[in-house]
Amino acid sequence: MALKMVKGSIDRMFDKNLQDLVRGIRNHKEDEAKYISQCIDEIKQELKQDNIAVKANAVCKLTYLQMLGYDISWAAFNIIEVMSASKFTFKRIGYLAASQCFHEGTDVIMLTTNQIRKDLSSPNQYDTGVALTGLSCFVTPDLARDLANDIMTLMSHTKPYIRKKAVLIMYKVFLKYPESLRPAFPRLKEKLEDPDPGVQSAAVNVICELARRNPKNYLSLAPLFFKLMTSSTNNWVLIKIIKLFGALTPLEPRLGKKLIEPLTNLIHSTSAMSLLYECVNTVIAVLISLSSGMPNHSASIQLCVQKLRILIEDSDQNLKYLGLLAMSKILKTHPKSVQSHKDLILQCLDDKDESIRLRALDLLYGMVSKKNLMEIVKKLMIHVDKAEGTTYRDELLTKIIDICSQSNYQYITNFEWYISILVELTRLEGTRHGHLIAAQMLDVAIRVKAIRKFAVSQMAMLLDNAHLIASNTQRNGICEVLYAAAWICGEFSEHLEEANQTLEAMLRPKVTTLPGHIQAVYVQNMVKLYASILQQKEQAGEKEAAQEITQLMIERLPQFVQSADLEVQERASCILQLIKYIQKLQVKEVPVAEEVIALFAGELNPVAPKAQKKVPVPEGLDLDAWINEPPSDSESEDEKPKTIFHEEEQRHSRHRQPEIDEEELARRREARKQEQANNPFYIKSSPSPQKRYQDTPGVEHIPVVQIDLSVPLKVPGMPMSDQYVKLEEERRHKQKLEKDKKKKKQKKEKRGKHHRHNSLHTESEEDIAPAHHVDIITEEMPENALPSDEDDKDPNDPYKALDIDLDNLVSGKPSRPLADSEKLPVQRHRNVETLKSPDSEVPLVEKKSKKPKKKEKKHKDKERDKGKKKEKEKKVVEEEEEEEEKKGEDLDFWLSTAPPTAPTPQAQSEPGTGTAVVAESQEVKKEEREEQDEEEEDEGKKSSKHKKKKHKKEKEEKSKDKKKSKKKSHHSEEEPPVSVQNGTLEDEPLPPMSSYRLLAENPYIKMTYDIQGNLQNDSQVTVSVIFENKSTSFLKSMELNVLDSLNTKMLRPEGSSVHDGIPVPFQLPPGISNEAQFVFTLQSIVMAQKLKGTLSFIVKNDEGSTHEKLDFKLHFSCASYLITTPCYSDAFAKLLESGDLHMSSIKVDGISISFQHLLAKICFHHHFSVVERVDSCASMYSRSIQGHHVCLLVKKGENSVSIDGKCNDSTLLSNLLDEMKETLSKC
Amino acid sequence: MMRFMLLFSRQGKLRLQKWYLATADKDKKKMVRELMQVVLARKPKMCSFLEWRDLKVVYKRYASLYFCCAIEGQDNELITLELIHRYVELLDKYFGSVCELDIIFNFEKAYFILDEFVMGGEIQDTSKKSVLKAIEQADLLQEEDESPRSVLEEMGLA
């Protein structure tokens, strides 16, 4: 034995230590791998020895090798051995190694549980510390479960060194073992007020991390954190707290208001950039949550933007970067504030740091408006020219396209300009985004009909200059645009002026050097061009010219027939034969043009990219069913060619599914058919164009987005985008001048009147009328498209499990106390565990007092009913509950005493109540309301300020009494009815409803309309009319006129008389519908109104055009003067008892629909909102545009509904109720 | 929360790695390789932050060593930069003007210091003094362990 020891020690003297190993590795640079494998062999020998010092040394070396990338998982067991060494030196090394290489997949990790537990309870704080540190890196769900209780105990350790580590590791434990959160949370919360700043900061860290994931459970801690924030001077802690508030404010707007002031103070005072940055970020978050028009916070946003400007102007790249990052957050809600710093952001495009330039680009994307798009793009084009390195230039290019095409080309006012930009972009050398440009060209040309003529002329020019572009034939290079150019010229060849020239350009020998897929498109579109030229010549009677062109085709096509590309060759030879046949006919002087052109008849419609996905599965079709019996495994070889074929198919579609199985194939076959039907490039065996569209339903109904029209401008020759910018500026200037004139006029008129005039000097977006009359055809979707399926929440989110309601626990609500099963597992001796129940472990003395208490919590209801409770115990519980009650209301109270800087009008601050008390039980909510009602009755006449304070105090007192009295009756009662605010309870699906009513209809046109009150103006309503062209003719020059009444008048443009109609700002092609809006002014709104009117229009078809008229009656119901306004129960109650309202009621029998539907109907058709709903009784509220309050109490009986209404104006009320009666009697 | 911290040299040699979320070796290697490539490719005048996968990376170069932290989306970049700086200061205090070789030869010490400073991806103690004190005392404990152990004693001859 002794000898063995001696031998081990001597060996040890010759062992390499870590330093030797490192030195050795450095000295064996050439054969490092060999040297290390030698070392590993040595280490393996060392690990076999009994001497722990030798083992520790070996493990230490292994840890080093692990960092170099060597696998040491084989030594896991040895690592555990070293971890369990009694000496700190070795233990430290063992834990280090474990923390570096253990993970959940390490199987021996289970063996560490007892060792770690032992170390955690070690008298030496460093043993404990090292174990905690190690465990934090490799904790597994099992370890977390087994050790949670031990660690929780350590949170109250006497030494702050241990406490802070224990607190920090709890977060990891929660993540792995979410069940531990509820039992551990009270103690964790205590640690927020630990005397040691380190422990305190650790607790803040953990709670902040938890709260960021599931903020709503931590709302009740807000007051405590607020206190910490105002008292702490530690920036690390402050940052965490402020971040936490950032997560909480979206849930509680009142919190945001309270925060603004301290945060702005910090922004002003702090010198730490990190803190400043965090404050700015949180202020932004707060403002976003308050975004609904808080004018007094514009100062805060200004402050943020100012500070960010300073950051961006700083020479420190880091600050610049972060400043831009934060700016983009502001941009989303306050675009105006950011847009004024456009100069600065454009400057950043010149920065030498690419990441900053990219950030600035991102910002620009969100900053564009109709007004500045051209200017910004112009600047970007300059940068494109200057940019070094293709990556950045390509990035610029994609950004330009993104910026222009965002939200369906929303910001483009002049598509000629955009086409010119695209054409200019084709001059970029070496870009990899040719495809992108091509796609844009196609998209614009197809969807913007008005631009086709211009686009075709530009594309023809591109084709003519193809030699410039075609020099770069690399994949996805700029030559891709020729693909688009050829297709556009072919498809819209009727717009082509010099078709002959373009055709010749496409037949040049140089074309054969282009990539195959482009040549194929060339060949196909040549025929389209050829067809249209042929038709042109035949119509003009120039037979020779027609034959010439045929001859040209026959001469040039063979070069494509010889193509190596299969697609090109096939198409070319096919077409060559066709043209030879045409030639024969031409010789016989048979007119052929009509037939040739019929090959390409029919219009192409853009299909939404998602359309295919949204096609509903027809009934009776089971996509998972086998079409053919699955092939046996042995046949798998035969399957191969199919797969290859399929992959080729896939290249055309973007969505690539990873696995292809039988049903997938079947589905795709189906999809392919669909795709082929819509694919302009797909040639069917029998091209009968009419048939092509028969299978796709609803093609006639292409929805069209309309942009108001203005004078189109025409620029001859090859335009530069810059020219457009100039023209655009002039145009806008003109518009502005006109507008200014108008404004002045208006002002003169308005002077003297007491109107709140919004004096915005900046031109608003809508002010800029587009230069073109443009239809953007929206992409087609299949009928009955499936609802969106984008909702993809990650079910594996580890933080989801931590979404645990802690409020009940923190405030100890009896509704959900810690159940026995939730207690953390405590280690017990094995035989005890198996033999005895957990309770038996409790010492006998305690048992007596504890047992009944536990039971009481669990089976309170039963015990209460029996009335067998001891008085003493009851009291204890009640006291507890009362205290918690106070706490629960604390947050509300704390929030309601908002600082004077943010005055909150009663009506506005109330909305918060709903969210603030979410955590509280429904019962309390109801009680509170009752109390308020009572109180308000008592003190209705006292000033509201005074009331608020008193209110709270009284409430507390009352709740005490109430609680007691309630206690006894409570449990015999039935479940309290769930009260619902604003109809949030949607237990059943509602039937689809439309507010549009029929206005008038004849064989040509159908008009439906809807009337909406205007919030900004108390005497205006907007009538939206949908015009639908039912005929096959073109409807134009539509004019709508209404015979004004004394009370109601149509708002006409300045200068026109009352007899003039208002032109409808669009024309209607067959089958198209569109919406126009007309504004009416009213004086009194208490009565419904009917206005007679006429729509006159011109019907244009092949036979000529006729004038038509359609008379209608526009019915202004009283409900159309109401605006859906949310109201909270307290404000509602106050309104009812104010005594200013007149009352009236109706009753309707024979109602069969559910109450839910009934309410929905009233909400929808009569513009009400639900204040509160209890069972089959609901209170509702709405407001008229002139400020009348309308309150309803709707009660549903067996087969009837009774509605009691209260309103400032009795006439309005009775009219409203009559209307409602009519609606309901239809049910 | 910080996900991991890496120290690597300009030549792309890893000097220290600390993972606060247990990760399989294969993934670790892949991430380290990828991130090193990205960071080393950046030009000297570029800012210290970059978005990488779903994380934010904050790095700073001290002499020939890159200190590189991966943090989560909502974390504060500037405070992370501060954290890196503090760690460097701690190393500097402990080793006395630290250099890359100190960290290579005493890599376990560098880990111990980091473990006292950051735990589970959260900063443990914001005071440099208390971190150094904890390290010193732990070292003292280690020396106590080692001092009575002369070679002869262990050979069983004493």
Side-chain angles (χ1 to χ4, degrees):
Chain A
M1 179 67 198
L3 195 68
K4 208 174 171 190
M5 259 180 81
V6 172
K7 191 170 171 284
S9 299
I10 291 174
D11 276 351
R12 213 186 127 222
M13 285 161 65
F14 298 105
D15 287 343
K16 287 194 192 78
N17 64 13
L18 178 69
Q19 268 75 13
D20 299 328
L21 176 78
V22 175
R23 215 166 280 134
I25 293 173
R26 291 170 73 83
N27 289 337
H28 289 78
K29 284 232 164 76
E30 293 81 31
D31 51 348
E32 195 183 288
K34 197 179 149 206
Y35 178 77
I36 289 178
S37 75
Q38 234 172 49
C39 291
I40 290 181
D41 286 342
E42 284 171 24
I43 290 170
K44 279 184 180 160
Q45 288 305 315
E46 285 165 32
L47 286 175
K48 280 181 191 147
Q49 295 185 29
D50 289 333
N51 192 321
I52 193 72
V54 178
K55 273 186 182 164
N57 184 42
V59 165
C60 186
K61 287 190 282 185
L62 279 178
T63 314
Y64 186 80
L65 292 178
Q66 190 261 353
M67 186 167 66
L68 296 184
Y70 291 86
D71 176 35
I72 62 161
S73 54
W74 50 269
F77 188 76
N78 304 103
I79 293 173
I80 297 180
E81 280 182 306
V82 178
M83 273 163 76
S84 35
S86 56
K87 282 182 181 162
F88 178 69
T89 321
F90 306 141
K91 193 183 285 300
R92 210 181 186 188
I93 288 169
Y95 271 103
L96 174 64
S99 71
Q100 289 302 98
C101 75
F102 282 8
H103 52 86
E104 277 181 34
T106 310
D107 40 8
V108 290
I109 216 163
M110 285 300 288
L111 303 176
T112 58
T113 318
N114 278 319
Q115 181 55 42
I116 295 174
R117 182 173 287 134
K118 210 175 112 198
D119 289 335
L120 289 183
S121 54
S122 157
N124 182 343
Q125 63 167 335
Y126 293 103
D127 280 351
T128 315
V130 98
L132 283 172
T133 314
L135 184 62
S136 76
C137 291
F138 59 80
V139 60
T140 62
D142 287 337
L143 282 175
R145 189 194 57 232
D146 295 342
L147 296 171
N149 200 45
D150 303 69
I151 300 172
M152 207 168 101
T153 324
L154 290 180
M155 285 209 288
S156 318
H157 200 271
T158 49
K159 298 217 168 79
Y161 177 80
I162 299 297
R163 284 208 302 273
K164 80 180 175 203
K165 281 181 191 271
V167 167
L168 276 178
I169 201 179
M170 269 330 264
Y171 178 61
K172 298 279 175 184
V173 173
F174 295 150
L175 280 182
K176 298 290 177 190
Y177 180 55
E179 290 86 340
S180 60
L181 180 56
R182 267 172 66 84
F185 194 71
R187 196 170 289 182
L188 184 60
K189 199 188 146 206
E190 265 171 42
K191 297 295 139 200
L192 284 176
E193 287 164 305
D194 196 280
D196 183 82
V199 181
Q200 200 185 19
S201 116
V204 169
N205 276 341
V206 171
I207 292 183
C208 285
E209 281 299 314
L210 287 170
R212 261 160 65 177
R213 264 62 196 224
N214 300 296
K216 66 175 190 309
N217 302 333
Y218 300 86
L219 211 52
S220 60
L221 291 181
L224 183 57
F225 274 109
F226 194 81
K227 205 177 88 196
L228 279 176
M229 182 177 80
T230 40
S231 59
S232 175
T233 51
N234 183 336
N235 284 350
W236 303 77
V237 173
L238 276 176
I239 285 175
K240 281 281 173 184
I241 295 176
I242 289 166
K243 199 182 284 298
L244 169 76
F245 278 130
L248 291 183
T249 42
L251 302 174
E252 177 49 273
R254 286 178 298 170
L255 177 61
K257 282 177 204 153
K258 209 177 164 78
L259 279 172
I260 287 283
E261 200 193 329
L263 286 183
T264 28
N265 287 346
L266 269 177
I267 291 179
H268 278 299
S269 62
T270 185
S271 59
M273 280 300 174
S274 48
L275 183 57
L276 173 79
Y277 180 62
E278 199 61 54
C279 287
V280 168
N281 263 334
T282 299
V283 169
I284 294 168
V286 167
L287 291 175
I288 288 172
S289 72
L290 293 176
S291 60
S292 51
M294 295 290 295
N296 40 348
H297 289 312
S298 64
S300 318
I301 207 79
Q302 277 312 318
L303 177 68
C304 287
V305 175
Q306 258 172 35
K307 285 283 172 185
L308 290 179
R309 193 182 167 102
I310 294 172
L311 290 191
I312 296 173
E313 281 171 339
D314 200 288
S315 59
D316 184 345
Q317 301 286 42
N318 293 336
L319 298 182
K320 214 186 261 279
Y321 178 89
L322 293 178
L324 289 169
L325 202 64
M327 273 287 196
S328 59
K329 285 183 196 150
I330 298 185
L331 186 66
K332 281 174 203 140
T333 48
H334 299 79
K336 287 247 162 65
S337 326
V338 181
Q339 269 162 7
S340 56
H341 298 281
K342 194 178 62 195
D343 55 317
L344 184 67
I345 288 148
L346 282 170
Q347 252 174 44
C348 290
L349 286 180
D350 292 320
D351 200 282
K352 47 192 177 303
D353 184 346
E354 195 173 299
S355 40
I356 286 173
R357 292 198 302 254
L358 293 178
R359 278 271 152 253
L361 270 180
D362 278 347
L363 256 178
L364 281 178
Y365 175 84
M367 277 170 66
V368 289
S369 62
K370 279 183 180 169
K371 202 175 141 201
N372 63 16
L373 174 74
M374 285 186 166
E375 187 195 343
I376 288 180
V377 171
K378 188 181 160 190
K379 292 255 166 66
L380 290 179
M381 291 296 281
I382 297 172
H383 281 281
V384 171
D385 288 337
K386 284 197 297 192
E388 309 151 359
T390 45
T391 2
Y392 178 59
R393 204 168 46 186
D394 278 355
E395 186 64 34
L396 270 169
L397 189 152
T398 44
K399 266 281 146 25
I400 290 176
I401 288 178
D402 281 354
I403 284 174
C404 292
S405 62
Q406 66 177 309
S407 28
N408 210 9
Y409 306 104
Q410 189 192 347
Y411 300 115
I412 294 187
T413 51
N414 188 334
F415 277 93
E416 287 189 12
W417 164 81
Y418 186 43
I419 293 276
S420 329
I421 287 284
L422 290 175
V423 171
E424 271 172 53
L425 285 176
T426 62
R427 286 177 215 149
L428 275 188
E429 273 170 40
T431 180
R432 287 178 297 105
H433 289 302
H435 186 74
L436 198 60
I437 302 175
Q440 281 289 299
M441 286 172 168
L442 284 171
D443 197 40
V444 172
I446 294 171
R447 294 178 55 195
V448 186
K449 280 187 179 163
I451 201 66
R452 284 184 191 161
K453 193 172 164 50
F454 179 80
V456 165
S457 71
Q458 292 297 302
M459 295 304 118
M461 206 141 3
L462 273 183
L463 288 178
D464 210 26
N465 297 322
H467 54 280
L468 297 175
I469 296 165
S471 55
N472 171 9
T473 52
Q474 83 188 72
R475 237 188 129 205
N476 219 353
I478 201 67
C479 62
E480 290 287 334
V481 298
L482 292 174
Y483 175 101
W487 190 85
I488 291 169
C489 283
E491 185 64 27
F492 307 120
S493 51
E494 70 269 21
H495 297 296
L496 209 51
E497 275 166 14
E498 301 273 351
N500 269 343
Q501 200 183 332
T502 308
L503 182 62
E504 260 174 67
M506 286 170 83
L507 283 166
R508 279 181 204 142
K510 182 94 177 154
V511 172
T512 52
T513 58
L514 290 172
H517 66 285
I518 298 178
Q519 282 187 58
V521 171
Y522 261 69
V523 171
Q524 185 70 14
N525 285 284
M526 261 174 227
V527 195
K528 293 184 194 166
L529 260 181
Y530 166 74
S532 77
I533 296 173
L534 206 62
Q535 193 190 29
Q536 209 183 320
K537 301 286 178 200
E538 262 185 28
Q539 274 170 0
E542 302 170 35
K543 280 179 196 157
E544 276 168 33
Q547 282 176 356
E548 257 172 46
I549 203 85
T550 312
Q551 189 56 37
L552 178 75
M553 290 289 278
I554 289 174
E555 276 168 20
R556 299 282 182 85
L557 270 176
Q559 60 182 339
F560 295 106
V561 177
Q562 290 158 10
S563 169
D565 191 283
L566 198 67
E567 186 81 16
V568 180
Q569 194 189 56
E570 201 174 353
R571 288 189 191 207
S573 35
C574 211
I575 285 160
L576 187 60
Q577 288 313 311
L578 177 76
I579 290 179
K580 278 182 181 163
Y581 178 68
I582 292 171
Q583 197 179 32
K584 271 186 209 161
L585 290 176
Q586 275 181 330
V587 173
K588 289 181 197 159
E589 305 216 336
V590 181
V592 283
E594 282 306 318
E595 278 174 66
V596 179
I597 208 110
L599 286 176
F600 307 105
E603 188 143 338
L604 285 162
N605 296 310
V607 176
K610 275 191 193 159
Q612 181 60 51
K613 237 169 58 188
K614 304 233 165 175
V615 175
V617 180
E619 244 177 85
L621 174 66
D622 181 8
L623 289 177
D624 294 330
W626 293 102
I627 291 176
N628 301 310
E629 276 308 298
S632 62
D633 289 340
S634 59
E635 281 173 338
S636 60
E637 295 250 299
D638 303 335
E639 282 295 297
K640 260 186 184 165
K642 222 175 190 175
T643 324
I644 291 166
F645 169 67
H646 231 275
E647 261 163 11
E648 268 171 4
E649 262 324 302
Q650 281 293 299
R651 210 171 286 161
H652 298 290
S653 68
R654 253 175 238 164
H655 319 282
R656 181 167 288 205
Q657 263 81 22
E659 328 125 319
I660 303 169
D661 49 22
E662 262 309 312
E663 62 252 46
E664 182 70 12
L665 279 175
R667 204 178 58 78
R668 285 189 189 168
R669 221 169 282 139
E670 200 59 38
R672 197 162 61 238
K673 262 187 212 154
Q674 273 280 347
E675 202 190 357
Q676 285 166 359
N678 293 323
N679 188 351
F681 309 124
Y682 190 81
I683 309 166
K684 280 193 168 180
S685 50
S686 62
S688 76
Q690 271 73 33
K691 204 179 159 195
R692 219 190 313 184
Y693 289 106
Q694 271 165 9
D695 331 31
T696 43
V699 177
E700 316 82 75
H701 291 273
I702 314 158
V704 171
V705 177
Q706 194 83 22
I707 296 183
D708 317 69
L709 74 159
S710 160
V711 208
L713 89 173
K714 208 168 184 179
V715 183
M718 173 92 167
M720 288 290 292
S721 55
D722 288 358
Q723 280 179 306
Y724 283 102
V725 178
K726 218 179 223 171
L727 282 170
E728 186 69 17
E729 270 164 15
E730 282 167 15
R731 195 175 67 86
R732 279 181 195 170
H733 186 65
K734 238 187 232 169
Q735 271 184 2
K736 208 180 170 187
L737 280 180
E738 276 169 31
K739 212 160 267 167
D740 282 352
K741 264 187 208 164
K742 271 188 199 171
K743 254 188 198 163
K744 267 181 202 162
K745 254 189 191 171
Q746 275 175 350
K747 264 189 189 165
K748 265 182 201 165
E749 281 170 17
K750 282 200 175 170
R751 206 170 288 162
K753 278 186 189 175
H754 220 74
H755 265 287
R756 253 199 313 164
H757 186 65
N758 213 352
S759 60
L760 269 176
H761 288 292
T762 47
E763 251 182 290
S764 75
E765 288 279 276
E766 286 72 27
D767 286 349
I768 301 164
H772 284 233
H773 171 191
V774 174
D775 292 340
I776 302 179
I777 306 169
T778 39
E779 291 155 324
E780 272 183 27
M781 280 295 221
E783 275 184 357
N784 2 308
L786 298 169
S788 176
D789 47 356
E790 277 150 331
D791 197 26
D792 47 357
K793 275 189 178 165
D794 184 11
N796 298 327
D797 184 6
Y799 307 110
K800 231 177 157 182
L802 286 180
D803 189 357
I804 294 169
D805 185 9
L806 297 164
D807 274 330
N808 287 342
L809 183 83
V810 173
S811 48
K813 275 271 147 65
S815 58
R816 223 200 119 196
L818 274 182
D820 275 351
S821 60
E822 277 187 303
K823 299 240 162 88
L824 290 175
V826 184
Q827 210 224 356
R828 289 180 212 98
H829 208 268
R830 198 165 294 143
N831 49 13
V832 176
E833 199 173 30
T834 46
L835 291 174
K836 293 178 187 172
S837 76
D839 274 3
S840 56
E841 274 229 317
V842 182
L844 272 173
V845 195
E846 264 184 29
K847 207 172 163 187
K848 267 187 185 166
S849 62
K850 250 192 177 173
K851 218 180 171 183
K853 202 175 165 189
K854 254 185 207 162
K855 255 193 184 166
E856 177 210 35
K857 277 190 178 173
K858 249 184 155 179
H859 315 286
K860 211 164 24 182
D861 306 14
K862 275 187 197 166
E863 302 261 334
R864 284 275 163 77
D865 280 342
K866 285 175 191 165
K868 281 177 184 172
K869 281 267 107 229
K870 284 175 190 168
E871 273 300 306
K872 211 178 169 186
E873 282 166 354
K874 213 173 192 175
K875 246 183 201 166
V876 171
V877 176
E878 276 170 12
E879 266 164 33
E880 253 176 42
E881 284 174 357
E882 262 155 38
E883 205 179 309
E884 308 319 346
E885 172 100 346
K886 268 184 221 160
K887 268 192 191 166
E889 278 169 14
D890 249 6
L891 175 67
D892 232 9
F893 180 65
W894 177 72
L895 286 168
S896 61
T897 53
T901 45
T904 50
Q906 184 77 8
Q908 271 203 336
S909 72
E910 290 311 325
T913 342
T915 44
V917 290
V918 166
E920 293 179 48
S921 69
Q922 297 284 7
E923 187 202 330
V924 177
K925 218 185 209 170
K926 202 187 157 205
E927 223 169 89
E928 214 172 340
R929 232 169 259 136
E930 282 171 16
E931 282 157 19
Q932 275 176 1
D933 291 354
E934 280 168 37
E935 214 167 310
E936 271 149 32
E937 272 159 35
D938 297 340
E939 303 181 74
K941 280 161 197 169
K942 290 192 177 176
S943 74
S944 65
K945 235 188 189 175
H946 190 70
K947 203 163 141 188
K948 231 180 180 175
K949 274 187 190 167
K950 215 170 180 181
H951 176 104
K952 281 284 165 189
K953 272 187 206 161
E954 279 210 10
K955 199 154 80 185
E956 273 167 32
E957 281 170 18
K958 267 191 187 174
S959 70
K960 271 186 198 170
D961 303 344
K962 257 209 158 159
K963 274 263 141 154
K964 272 181 193 162
S965 60
K966 230 179 162 147
K967 279 278 137 57
K968 279 151 200 163
S969 59
H970 176 127
H971 296 285
S972 52
E973 271 177 21
E974 280 181 351
E975 273 276 294
V978 182
S979 65
V980 179
Q981 294 203 334
N982 270 326
T984 40
L985 186 82
E986 274 175 325
D987 40 359
E988 31 190 334
L990 294 172
M993 287 186 273
S994 167
S995 58
Y996 282 87
R997 282 166 292 172
L998 183 69
L999 185 57
E1001 187 173 14
N1002 70 6
Y1004 297 108
I1005 194 163
K1006 180 180 173 182
M1007 295 192 281
T1008 48
Y1009 76 110
D1010 179 41
I1011 305 175
Q1012 291 288 339
N1014 187 338
L1015 256 183
Q1016 274 79 44
N1017 198 318
D1018 59 6
S1019 60
Q1020 276 190 2
V1021 290
T1022 308
V1023 179
S1024 312
V1025 185
I1026 298 178
F1027 300 89
E1028 186 190 338
N1029 186 347
K1030 290 163 59 190
S1031 67
T1032 51
S1033 322
F1034 203 83
L1035 301 185
K1036 56 181 214 177
S1037 305
M1038 286 187 279
E1039 216 175 82
L1040 185 123
N1041 199 8
V1042 171
L1043 215 58
D1044 291 348
S1045 72
L1046 273 178
N1047 188 42
T1048 314
K1049 294 183 168 64
M1050 183 155 76
L1051 202 68
R1052 295 178 168 82
E1054 212 112 345
S1056 49
S1057 87
V1058 283
H1059 304 296
D1060 292 340
I1062 293 189
V1064 180
F1066 48 78
Q1067 306 177 329
L1068 286 181
I1072 301 296
S1073 58
N1074 203 344
E1075 181 168 345
Q1077 296 189 323
F1078 305 91
V1079 179
F1080 286 78
T1081 55
L1082 316 138
Q1083 273 161 7
S1084 160
I1085 60 156
V1086 298
M1087 301 248 269
Q1089 302 266 338
K1090 267 185 189 168
L1091 292 187
K1092 279 186 185 172
T1094 316
L1095 179 81
S1096 61
F1097 53 96
I1098 294 173
V1099 182
K1100 198 185 165 196
N1101 50 25
D1102 300 339
E1103 287 112 56
S1105 40
T1106 49
H1107 249 281
E1108 292 289 339
K1109 266 189 179 180
L1110 176 59
D1111 292 332
F1112 57 83
K1113 263 187 191 168
L1114 197 53
H1115 180 78
F1116 291 85
S1117 64
C1118 283
S1120 55
Y1121 305 133
L1122 296 186
I1123 295 172
T1124 315
T1125 320
C1127 178
Y1128 285 87
S1129 46
D1130 334 38
F1132 189 78
K1134 201 171 283 172
L1135 205 60
L1136 284 182
E1137 46 138 90
S1138 68
D1140 306 336
L1141 304 182
H1142 302 272
M1143 158 126 188
S1144 179
S1145 49
I1146 52 161
K1147 193 171 177 192
V1148 186
D1149 292 319
I1151 302 285
S1152 54
I1153 59 166
S1154 75
F1155 192 55
Q1156 175 74 13
H1157 286 187
L1158 188 110
L1159 289 185
K1161 271 210 150 92
I1162 297 178
C1163 287
F1164 188 78
H1165 291 294
H1166 298 273
H1167 305 159
F1168 276 85
S1169 64
V1170 178
V1171 178
E1172 195 178 351
R1173 176 185 161 187
V1174 181
D1175 287 344
S1176 57
C1177 193
S1179 49
M1180 305 179 90
Y1181 175 81
S1182 186
R1183 228 176 88 114
S1184 80
I1185 52 171
Q1186 294 181 352
H1188 302 100
H1189 301 285
V1190 190
C1191 309
L1192 296 182
L1193 184 65
V1194 184
K1195 283 184 212 150
K1196 184 165 185 332
E1198 193 90 319
N1199 266 321
S1200 65
V1201 174
S1202 69
I1203 301 179
D1204 298 319
K1206 278 191 169 186
C1207 173
N1208 309 56
D1209 191 295
S1210 57
T1211 330
L1212 178 64
L1213 181 63
S1214 68
N1215 283 328
L1216 278 171
L1217 289 179
D1218 287 345
E1219 284 171 16
M1220 233 170 273
K1221 201 167 180 174
E1222 202 181 333
T1223 316
L1224 294 180
S1225 57
K1226 285 180 202 156
C1227 301
Chain B
M1 192 188 98
M2 198 200 294
R3 290 286 188 81
F4 59 87
M5 186 181 202
L6 301 178
L7 260 69
F8 50 85
S9 70
R10 221 168 35 162
Q11 290 77 32
K13 287 251 195 261
L14 195 61
R15 295 301 178 209
L16 187 140
Q17 56 170 341
K18 188 84 199 174
W19 299 77
Y20 294 108
L21 215 61
T23 317
D25 270 351
K26 212 176 84 191
D27 299 332
K28 280 187 194 172
K29 267 188 217 166
K30 203 171 155 219
M31 287 164 92
V32 168
R33 202 177 329 119
E34 204 180 308
L35 192 58
M36 262 201 285
Q37 243 170 24
V38 177
V39 171
L40 289 173
R42 292 183 56 101
K43 297 191 185 82
K45 281 283 161 119
M46 282 176 136
C47 72
S48 304
F49 316 124
L50 53 111
E51 272 163 25
W52 178 76
R53 297 194 181 186
D54 57 335
L55 300 173
K56 292 196 286 196
V57 171
V58 178
Y59 72 92
K60 194 161 167 71
R61 192 178 146 180
Y62 288 88
S64 59
L65 265 189
Y66 282 90
F67 289 68
C68 181
C69 293
I71 55 174
E72 287 170 357
Q74 286 174 314
D75 289 326
N76 189 316
E77 293 95 334
L78 289 172
I79 206 76
T80 311
L81 213 53
E82 175 74 24
L83 182 142
I84 291 177
H85 188 70
R86 288 239 171 158
Y87 180 49
V88 174
E89 281 179 336
L90 283 171
L91 290 173
D92 210 48
K93 278 252 169 65
Y94 184 84
F95 288 110
S97 73
V98 67
C99 68
E100 195 180 337
L101 281 179
D102 287 325
I103 296 173
I104 296 172
F105 282 103
N106 301 291
F107 87 109
E108 83 278 19
K109 298 276 185 218
Y111 275 119
F112 294 148
I113 296 170
L114 184 60
D115 284 343
E116 284 301 327
F117 181 48
V118 180
M119 185 172 145
E122 296 290 343
I123 184 143
Q124 197 180 137
D125 212 314
T126 55
S127 136
K128 269 182 277 182
K129 246 188 222 161
S130 66
V131 174
L132 284 173
K133 206 180 108 199
I135 286 290
E136 272 163 26
Q137 283 185 342
D139 280 352
L140 217 63
L141 200 66
Q142 186 168 344
E143 276 159 31
E144 275 168 24
D145 272 357
E146 278 167 359
S147 55
R149 199 185 58 213
S150 73
V151 180
L152 284 178
E153 207 174 359
E154 286 216 352
M155 280 178 170
L157 299 177

